Amino acid sequence: MTTSVDVVSGTDSPYALSHLDALESEAVHIFREVAGEFERPVILFSGGKDSIVMLHLALKAFAPAAVPFTLLHVDTGHNFPEVLQYRDRTVAEHGLRLHVASVQEYIDRGVLRERPDGTRNPLQTVPLTEAIQQHRFDAVFGGGRRDEEKARAKERVFSLRDEFSQWDPRRQRPELWQLYNGRHAPGEHVRVFPLSNWTELDVWQYIQRECIELPEIYFAHEREVFKRSGMWLTAGEWGGPKAGEETEKRLVRYRTVGDMSCTGAVDSDATTLDAVITEIAASRLTERGATRADDKMSEAAMEDRKREGYF
Amino acid sequence: MTAITATATATAAGAATTGAAATATGATAAGAAAHPAERFAALSPATTLLRFATAGSVDDGKSTLVGRLLHDSKSVLADQLEAVEAASRGRGQEAPDLALLTDGLRAEREQGITIDVAYRYFATPRRRFILADTPGHVQYTRNMVTGASTAELTVVLVDARNGVVEQTRRHAAIAALLRVPHVVLAVNKMDLVDYAEPVFAAIAEEFADCAARLGVPEVTAIPVSALAGDNVVEPSARMDWYGGPTVLEHLETVRVAGAPDLLPARFPVQYVIRPQTAEHPDYRGYAGRIEAGSLHVGQEVRVLPSGRTSRISRIDLLGRSVSRAVAPQSVTVLLEDDLDIARGDLIAPAEAAPEPSRDIRATVCHLADQPLTPGRRVLLRHGTRTVRALVRGIDSRLGLDGLTHHPAPDGLGANDIGRVTLRTAEPLPLDAYGDCRPTGAFLLIDPADGTTLTAGMNGDPAAGPGTAGAADVRPC
């Protein structure tokens, strides 16, 4: 062999950013790109941890000016009351404007029908897409992360949707360097995912570093729950428990915040951010595998919902 | 300059990799055999991030390598593995097919191929990784370009039985064109050549030779078996002649981020922040990300394309004022003078500002199905600016067999790499891509429907830094 040999130094450059600083810088860059390129952007805000981190990043990106976006919440009618309180408190605190699209209203009008399994997550697609059309939003920020699910792993940071909000994975624009192409025809819009490259653990470490307040259901507390399809669901007026399902009081917390009918709690005694981070790092289950019933419906459940316009 | 770090012979390995071998032992003890809880417990929020891409031909075992990397680094959780096991059983396979971990779309699972770039995330106590998992088919050259455009490292896979083939040269050429700073050659399927050192050594040498001709700055060659797990995460007991790092160790220790002092600052203005509140009546900040180099308070800067100069009076780094900031930080810059500055402008050091020009000679990879033809009117996106542009000529097309340029007067088709001449409606401050990736890169966009047509690199990136000229991609 004639190749010369030279061992690469194992030390990082003193200029390398920490991974959280790198992710934060990238997300801020994405928010500012949208502010610069679009007319009517909106942030999907549910009061869940990912949307809370998104809002925090947007506040930092435009400080000391106000966030140049409004917020949109698709309310399934089965949301956790603590989360709705958090949502309204946050909106008031930052002087933001919140649009609410209500699944319950669509059901009451007879436009949507309750599913036999009582799950309302898939029902969010129609109110979401109609709200986008009605308000003529041209960029819609979502807190989706590529680590959540294998169909999400294929999602672009800027994801073009047609007038029906449909996602076509085979017709996605290639995303080169960090030159995001947001051009779209009237009626089309772009879904934007500033947290694409974050993992669940990154989100929690960032929440800890930035001292971001969360709804209390993310921390261990006693709650009336019952078991359905292997998950602890909160008992309540939304439709549980049914006959044969028994409630009990358990010490639990939530890893994700979604519709009460399909978001499971996990047994936990983690009452602090440190404890939550330790618990997540040790978990043998993914966030969605542990707590989302709707993703378990089929191997392509998320892909199929995304094609229809789900976020 | 090509620095080859392949420890291809036993003597070379023994002489030069004492340090690497020591870290290998440490990594194994601390990480590979540990439960994920212990791995993550050691994670501090201050670890760095490495973005890398994989490239390999259809049957080189790329999905298996990626699956092995995720699996052996304990990045696959129980429910994901159960899903893969169930899907594998459903297809009548006995062992779980690790490739199913990465094929996320219905059509991919049905056809058993990877169609589109997917991004994967995993972590070790030392570093976080973003993997752009790119398909290997010839017709997906554009996806390889997409993955390589943001990568700091590319892993090129070779089947040890076949050695360096046409597709390998293509992967090396793309890594060279896109100026990916580090290239790893993973010589896979060593189990099928009896873990023989001479087989690896010959392939490593041939690839190193090819990479040097293409202008790849650095190559590390590693013998692996993705199927059996040799040298991917765990060091192999069956190749004691190899003393270098495993793939994961190399990913953990390769140096990221350069020295920003060596590059002049480049700051494309994204958005002007003007609160106009009682508290901040006169605040006028230019929001953007430092794409190269560093900025400091007091620095004399030039604003392009107007050419006006001023000094930086303040830098806000997401909530606190700092005296200096470096790439790739997102910051807000305030200037001493009230200049007319808008989105699309570029702020650069007064003494090292790029010269705006309307005439561009570039190397491009065409992405869209409709061809790129002379006379075509397009939009050109550079930094935060989009301008109208005209394709004046297609100078040549790169033949991917011999990697030489051929005349291509009619245009470039999908996945073609070639040289073009463009004229823009307004002057643009482009750098040579070989000097500065973020400000040397651009996109061509269809003005009618917004389709991203073409990935562009100003100058001739494969010819090395500082050469926006016309040297050929040398054949290998």
Side-chain angles (χ1 to χ4, degrees):
Chain A
M1 281 297 296
T2 53
T3 46
S4 62
V5 175
D6 177 24
V7 177
V8 178
S9 157
T11 51
D12 278 324
S13 155
Y15 301 103
L17 302 189
S18 79
H19 84 278
L20 285 182
D21 284 332
L23 292 172
E24 179 186 61
S25 178
E26 179 180 76
V28 163
H29 177 250
I30 293 162
F31 277 111
R32 290 166 166 182
E33 280 300 285
V34 170
E37 292 266 295
F38 292 84
E39 300 283 327
R40 297 176 68 85
V42 68
I43 299 178
L44 290 177
F45 186 78
S46 64
K49 65 181 187 310
D50 299 310
S51 58
I52 290 169
V53 166
M54 271 208 297
L55 180 59
H56 181 86
L57 288 160
L59 288 162
K60 287 185 94 167
F62 300 99
V67 173
F69 312 125
T70 57
L71 305 183
L72 170 65
H73 182 217
V74 183
D75 186 340
T76 62
H78 289 165
N79 286 295
F80 294 91
E82 303 93 322
V83 177
L84 292 182
Q85 284 158 21
Y86 178 96
R87 177 196 79 182
D88 294 337
R89 204 166 62 234
T90 306
V91 166
E93 185 187 333
H94 299 294
L96 297 161
R97 181 161 168 227
L98 173 76
H99 309 273
V100 178
S102 159
V103 171
Q104 187 63 54
E105 190 193 301
Y106 276 73
I107 292 172
D108 293 345
R109 288 199 339 245
V111 180
L112 286 176
R113 200 181 309 160
E114 199 86 73
R115 296 160 52 98
D117 59 10
T119 293
R120 286 189 170 181
N121 249 19
L123 300 184
Q124 293 180 85
T125 303
V126 171
L128 169 68
T129 55
E130 290 199 2
I132 291 168
Q133 294 301 322
Q134 182 201 333
H135 296 286
R136 292 181 292 114
F137 294 128
D138 54 1
V140 181
F141 288 104
R145 308 188 317 263
R146 290 182 183 136
D147 80 318
E148 283 180 89
E149 209 278 335
K150 54 188 182 290
R152 285 230 161 121
K154 298 274 175 177
E155 180 67 272
R156 299 290 184 263
V157 174
F158 272 40
S159 177
L160 183 67
R161 303 298 171 99
D162 67 11
E163 61 194 304
F164 300 102
S165 289
Q166 296 180 111
W167 181 62
D168 184 349
R170 302 195 84 149
R171 292 184 55 84
Q172 299 193 85
R173 286 177 181 163
E175 223 151 61
L176 294 125
W177 297 285
Q178 288 183 14
L179 295 170
Y180 301 112
N181 175 3
R183 294 189 80 85
H184 60 281
E188 295 179 338
H189 70 278
V190 174
R191 299 278 170 92
V192 184
F193 301 101
L195 305 184
S196 283
N197 288 324
W198 297 49
T199 65
E200 183 188 15
L201 200 56
D202 295 330
V203 167
W204 279 102
Q205 289 189 325
Y206 188 72
I207 286 167
Q208 184 181 47
R209 186 184 92 170
E210 302 283 307
C211 304
I212 301 171
E213 192 203 337
L214 290 182
E216 55 259 48
I217 69 169
Y218 279 112
F219 300 97
H221 57 288
E222 284 221 321
R223 179 176 281 267
E224 287 275 338
V225 292
F226 65 93
K227 196 147 223 175
R228 181 181 292 173
S229 309
M231 290 195 317
W232 294 114
L233 298 183
T234 291
E237 287 176 9
W238 61 268
K242 288 188 233 171
E245 294 170 332
E246 282 179 28
T247 59
E248 55 182 291
K249 219 171 203 162
R250 295 185 77 90
L251 192 59
V252 295
R253 65 173 208 89
Y254 282 85
R255 276 175 81 175
T256 67
V257 165
D259 185 76
M260 282 168 106
S261 62
C262 63
T263 308
V266 292
D267 288 312
S268 169
D269 56 6
T271 53
T272 63
L273 279 168
D274 276 335
V276 167
I277 289 170
T278 306
E279 190 179 283
I280 288 167
S283 173
R284 298 289 300 127
L285 293 176
T286 62
E287 180 179 340
R288 288 197 162 257
T291 65
R292 287 297 178 97
D294 46 335
D295 290 338
K296 295 180 178 169
M297 289 175 191
S298 86
E299 202 183 355
M302 174 70 88
E303 178 180 346
D304 294 343
R305 270 184 292 146
K306 282 171 65 63
R307 282 174 179 274
E308 289 164 12
Y310 191 76
F311 44 89
Chain B
M1 255 298 288
T2 302
I4 305 296
T5 58
T7 44
T9 66
T11 42
T17 56
T18 330
T23 48
T25 324
T28 311
H35 185 270
E38 292 151 47
R39 293 184 66 86
F40 282 110
L43 270 181
S44 90
T47 54
T48 52
L49 197 60
L50 178 79
R51 292 170 198 253
F52 74 105
T54 53
S57 309
V58 180
D59 293 317
D60 285 348
K62 190 175 62 65
S63 292
T64 312
L65 178 77
V66 171
R68 175 63 65 190
L69 208 48
L70 296 173
H71 180 266
D72 287 7
S73 67
K74 317 286 183 215
S75 304
V76 180
L77 297 183
D79 55 319
Q80 292 171 316
L81 204 56
E82 272 166 29
V84 165
E85 281 164 358
S88 303
R89 273 196 306 275
R91 298 155 150 222
Q93 292 164 316
E94 279 175 25
D97 182 355
L98 291 180
L100 291 177
L101 281 171
T102 58
D103 288 341
L105 298 176
R106 212 181 256 286
E108 292 177 319
R109 286 189 297 273
E110 284 162 3
Q111 297 174 39
I113 56 160
T114 315
I115 291 171
D116 202 347
V117 184
Y119 294 87
R120 313 281 157 204
Y121 303 84
F122 65 101
T124 71
R126 293 179 180 183
R127 194 169 262 178
R128 300 285 179 108
F129 301 97
I130 301 177
L131 161 59
D133 186 14
T134 70
H137 277 76
V138 178
Q139 67 264 40
Y140 296 125
T141 300
R142 55 187 168 199
N143 288 330
M144 243 177 293
V145 169
T146 302
S149 72
T150 50
E152 292 151 304
L153 179 148
T154 295
V155 180
V156 175
L157 232 75
V158 165
D159 184 329
R161 295 169 303 173
N162 305 331
V164 174
V165 295
E166 185 186 321
Q167 188 74 335
T168 316
R169 286 193 289 271
R170 184 171 301 143
H171 297 322
I174 289 169
L177 269 177
L178 282 134
R179 306 294 299 172
V180 179
H182 306 275
V183 172
V184 171
L185 173 73
V187 180
N188 191 26
K189 306 197 183 182
M190 287 300 292
D191 52 316
L192 299 181
V193 295
D194 297 326
Y195 297 101
E197 187 206 344
V199 175
F200 168 72
I203 295 171
E205 189 173 54
E206 189 183 353
F207 185 82
D209 188 45
C210 168
R213 288 163 193 257
L214 288 165
V216 173
E218 185 189 285
V219 176
T220 300
I222 304 173
V224 304
S225 166
L227 196 66
D230 294 281
N231 286 338
V232 179
V233 171
E234 310 276 357
S236 172
R238 286 170 285 216
M239 288 181 275
D240 53 6
W241 46 266
Y242 173 76
T246 65
V247 173
L248 183 65
E249 275 167 50
H250 182 68
L251 294 174
E252 284 182 313
T253 52
V254 70
R255 194 180 169 98
V256 293
D261 293 326
L262 297 178
L263 284 175
R266 295 291 183 256
F267 185 76
V269 175
Q270 283 188 286
Y271 190 77
V272 183
I273 293 178
R274 291 182 64 205
Q276 293 177 295
T277 54
E279 201 185 339
H280 303 281
D282 302 317
Y283 189 101
R284 187 181 176 86
Y286 304 105
R289 185 176 54 184
I290 305 175
E291 297 289 358
S294 65
L295 293 175
H296 62 266
V297 172
Q299 188 173 7
E300 190 183 11
V301 292
R302 188 181 303 280
V303 181
L304 301 166
S306 76
R308 292 175 192 278
T309 59
S310 182
R311 275 181 199 282
I312 295 177
S313 60
R314 175 172 159 183
I315 301 172
D316 285 345
L317 174 62
L318 305 182
R320 66 195 163 95
S321 276
V322 294
S323 58
R324 181 169 182 267
V326 301
Q329 286 177 324
S330 282
V331 297
T332 305
V333 168
L334 288 84
L335 301 181
E336 284 178 3
D337 305 285
D338 217 356
L339 303 183
D340 177 19
I341 300 174
R343 175 176 172 82
D345 289 348
L346 180 80
I347 294 176
E351 78 284 359
E355 192 61 46
S357 164
R358 292 177 59 194
D359 292 299
I360 298 171
R361 285 199 66 192
T363 303
V364 300
C365 176
H366 189 59
L367 313 163
D369 291 330
Q370 33 170 322
L372 189 71
T373 49
R376 182 152 185 192
R377 292 184 182 276
V378 293
L379 295 172
L380 190 152
R381 169 73 189 261
H382 172 248
T384 53
R385 195 174 192 87
T386 305
V387 301
R388 286 182 297 124
L390 173 70
V391 180
R392 291 181 65 185
I394 309 288
D395 304 336
S396 61
R397 177 179 163 277
L398 186 67
L400 286 172
D401 38 1
L403 296 177
T404 48
H405 281 277
H406 305 284
D410 297 339
L412 297 174
N415 296 301
D416 277 352
I417 291 169
R419 294 228 188 85
V420 303
T421 312
L422 303 162
R423 175 128 174 117
T424 59
E426 297 164 50
L428 288 178
L430 271 82
D431 285 298
Y433 185 82
D435 294 342
C436 183
R437 287 169 90 189
T439 49
F442 62 86
L443 303 179
L444 299 184
I445 295 169
D446 187 333
D449 63 5
T451 303
T452 300
L453 298 171
T454 308
M457 291 157 281
N458 188 36
D460 179 10
T467 49
D472 238 338
V473 172
R474 287 136 293 185
C476 64

